[in-house]
Amino acid sequence: MPLATQNYQQLLTLSAGAQGELNAAAQLGRGSVKLFVNGQREDNNNYLIEGISATDYNVAQATYVPLPNPDVIQEFKVQTSLYDASQGRNGGGNVNAILKSGSRQFHGDAYEFFRNDVLNANDFFLNRQGQARPVIKQNIFGGSLGGPVVKEKFGYFFVNYQGTRQRSGLSPGTFISTTIPSIPLADRSDASISQAFFGNTTTPIDPVVSKLLNFKSNQFGGASDGFLIPSSDPATGSFAISTPGKYTDDQFTTNWDREFHGGQDKISVRFFFSDAESFLPFGGGDLPESLGSTLASSVSSTSLNFPFDTPVHARFFNVTETHLFSPRW
């Protein structure tokens, strides 16, 4: 099934009793994943990989947890009620993802999911301001290979690599549309500032405000020697700017399985590695990772915010030995 950001958790709402928000296709990162099971909050869910908890106990979302791509996942199980006590850490949903293993024959694939801004329509508010449509580009590429290790008696292997490169100027944290007084660009004396805000030249201006309005920076789209606080449209007071943010992710998965003693014992090894980083030019002025929020609901598009850089390093390692004592045990 098609997934905008290769995040299998966006399919969890197909289960009975599970609800979630629609994914924001222009949003940077793994995509919106807020799952509500039988009316409970999203922090009541439990996420597992190979039976091991991979839950973010802070926000219960997929931002900082190991997240294998769909090409790595053999199957996933969603339990929304009536699961046994061994899976009863939380009272909401219980999600377990099982990773792929190799087989007796070699199988492999290579893929790329590609999108760009050539066919995208412009945002309504940017179009109204006469601004060009923002950049929205995404490349998700990778490949897998699985099969026997030389001979079947040495077991079976499976490896996968996936890289993600996103650029978006329409994601929360990359776009500002607000209304501010039209402040003269050339003259920012106290008298000029008083005229812009109060309609006269005599109202006293706080020295901190005066220094801030005269501070030089190109953070909000001005020239390199321009002012930090920009000047809006004199007629409407409106101000709009879009600066592309970026998200990169490189993940690698390697699995190995071997049966011995006539199938009475099986060893399975799973290793998942991921380094991701999200950079939002205007995402640092709010609290993006507050409990129960998403990027779209916590980053204000009307605030003159500063950059927000989030590196995420995920590692998952699992060794399992399964022993069959008898056909009944």
Side-chain angles (χ1 to χ4, degrees):
M1 301 185 71
L3 296 170
T5 56
Q6 283 286 85
N7 186 345
Y8 82 96
Q9 294 186 357
Q10 293 164 6
L11 299 175
L12 301 184
T13 54
L14 297 176
S15 301
Q19 298 180 357
E21 297 180 346
L22 290 175
N23 181 59
Q27 179 174 311
L28 290 170
R30 299 171 169 182
S32 303
V33 178
K34 288 186 68 176
L35 186 67
F36 307 95
V37 175
N38 295 328
Q40 300 194 54
R41 296 182 63 179
E42 70 274 15
D43 56 329
N44 285 332
N45 300 321
N46 192 30
Y47 296 95
L48 309 172
I49 300 177
E50 296 281 340
I52 296 177
S53 178
T55 303
D56 187 332
Y57 298 132
N58 179 33
V59 295
Q61 296 178 20
T63 306
Y64 299 131
V65 300
L67 187 67
N69 66 77
D71 216 51
V72 171
I73 296 174
Q74 177 69 34
E75 61 177 326
F76 63 88
K77 183 178 183 180
V78 184
Q79 297 168 285
T80 57
S81 61
L82 300 179
Y83 40 83
D84 61 74
S86 66
Q87 307 295 337
R89 179 188 177 276
N90 293 318
N94 190 72
V95 182
N96 190 19
I98 304 300
L99 306 185
K100 287 182 178 180
S101 61
S103 60
R104 291 182 174 180
Q105 285 143 0
F106 288 101
H107 295 277
D109 67 344
Y111 56 88
E112 178 173 5
F113 299 91
F114 168 77
R115 58 186 294 210
N116 62 19
D117 52 348
V118 173
L119 298 179
N120 290 335
N122 197 5
D123 177 80
F124 173 82
F125 298 101
L126 288 177
N127 193 46
R128 188 176 182 180
Q129 297 298 326
Q131 303 223 6
R133 59 187 173 187
V135 172
I136 300 180
K137 297 181 179 181
Q138 176 176 277
N139 296 80
I140 301 178
F141 51 89
S144 303
L145 179 65
V149 181
V150 185
K151 297 181 180 180
E152 291 183 15
K153 67 177 182 179
F154 295 117
Y156 309 95
F157 77 94
F158 176 83
V159 294
N160 169 270
Y161 165 79
Q162 177 176 285
T164 301
R165 305 292 184 268
Q166 294 178 343
R167 300 292 184 271
S168 175
L170 200 56
S171 172
T174 67
F175 171 61
I176 297 174
S177 177
T178 188
T179 300
I180 56 178
S182 179
I183 309 170
L185 282 177
D187 179 16
R188 293 208 173 185
S189 63
D190 286 0
S192 180
I193 295 173
S194 176
Q195 181 66 42
F197 281 89
F198 306 108
N200 61 69
T201 60
T202 58
T203 301
I205 303 299
D206 189 287
V208 175
V209 173
S210 179
K211 288 183 179 295
L212 180 62
L213 293 179
N214 280 277
F215 188 80
K216 297 293 186 71
S217 172
N218 62 351
Q219 164 67 13
F220 301 118
S224 57
D225 59 346
F227 294 104
L228 170 68
I229 307 300
S231 182
S232 60
D233 186 337
T236 63
S238 59
F239 169 75
I241 180 176
S242 173
T243 299
K246 63 180 181 179
Y247 173 79
T248 61
D249 181 26
D250 291 288
Q251 60 174 248
F252 178 77
T253 305
T254 176
N255 302 331
W256 177 73
D257 299 90
R258 183 191 175 192
E259 292 185 355
F260 53 99
H261 292 162
Q264 284 189 303
D265 288 275
K266 178 181 179 181
I267 291 181
S268 300
V269 180
R270 305 285 185 263
F271 177 67
F272 174 80
F273 171 99
S274 174
D275 278 347
E277 184 173 11
S278 177
F279 177 78
L280 304 175
F282 313 122
D286 300 291
L287 189 60
E289 306 305 333
S290 59
L291 180 63
S293 70
T294 62
L295 192 64
S297 64
S298 60
V299 177
S300 172
S301 62
T302 61
S303 302
L304 300 180
N305 292 330
F306 288 85
F308 186 69
D309 192 6
T310 311
V312 178
H313 307 291
R315 308 290 187 267
F316 175 85
F317 180 69
N318 174 35
V319 178
T320 302
E321 201 279 340
T322 304
H323 177 70
L324 182 67
F325 291 92
S326 73
R328 293 183 298 174
W329 187 21

